[in-house]
Amino acid sequence: MFQDKEMVNDYLAGLNASLTGYAHIIAQTNNSELRQTLIQMRNQDESRQRTLYSYALQKGHYKPAAPASEEVVQQLRTELMAEQQNN
């Protein structure tokens, strides 16, 4: 029988996989009504993922990596914005 931690981690993995799938499908969908439906479904999964992530964190089922320093965050932000401007 599954333990709470295993169920939470399994569900989180499934949600994360579905979010990746939505990104690919939404980017390639031409029908605007279908695109909006997929965006709504993705948003619902993102909300579920965040709720489950918070639960896992609270219960000690998940330990995130140490937070990045403000310097690293700013450097990454600068690089991403520069890349976005070049595209």
Side-chain angles (χ1 to χ4, degrees):
M1 182 166 257
F2 277 117
Q3 297 295 325
D4 187 51
K5 180 179 180 178
E6 293 168 326
M7 288 188 291
V8 168
N9 287 333
D10 190 49
Y11 190 27
L12 270 174
L15 285 170
N16 289 335
S18 78
L19 291 172
T20 300
Y22 283 127
H24 292 290
I25 295 168
I26 289 168
Q28 298 175 26
T29 301
N30 191 38
N31 181 292
S32 61
E33 189 175 326
L34 176 58
R35 188 173 193 281
Q36 279 307 116
T37 299
L38 291 167
I39 288 170
Q40 289 172 349
M41 291 169 67
R42 182 209 52 207
N43 291 346
Q44 290 169 348
D45 272 3
E46 283 179 350
S47 178
R48 276 195 271 303
Q49 191 274 350
R50 195 63 186 165
T51 299
L52 196 58
Y53 167 82
S54 296
Y55 174 82
L57 200 58
Q58 176 189 18
K59 293 291 187 177
H61 298 332
Y62 178 79
K63 182 163 174 65
S69 69
E70 186 57 39
E71 180 181 316
V72 170
V73 171
Q74 185 57 44
Q75 179 183 352
L76 182 57
R77 182 180 293 130
T78 301
E79 289 173 12
L80 289 172
M81 291 186 74
E83 184 178 311
Q84 195 173 38
Q85 290 174 352
N86 290 334
N87 290 334

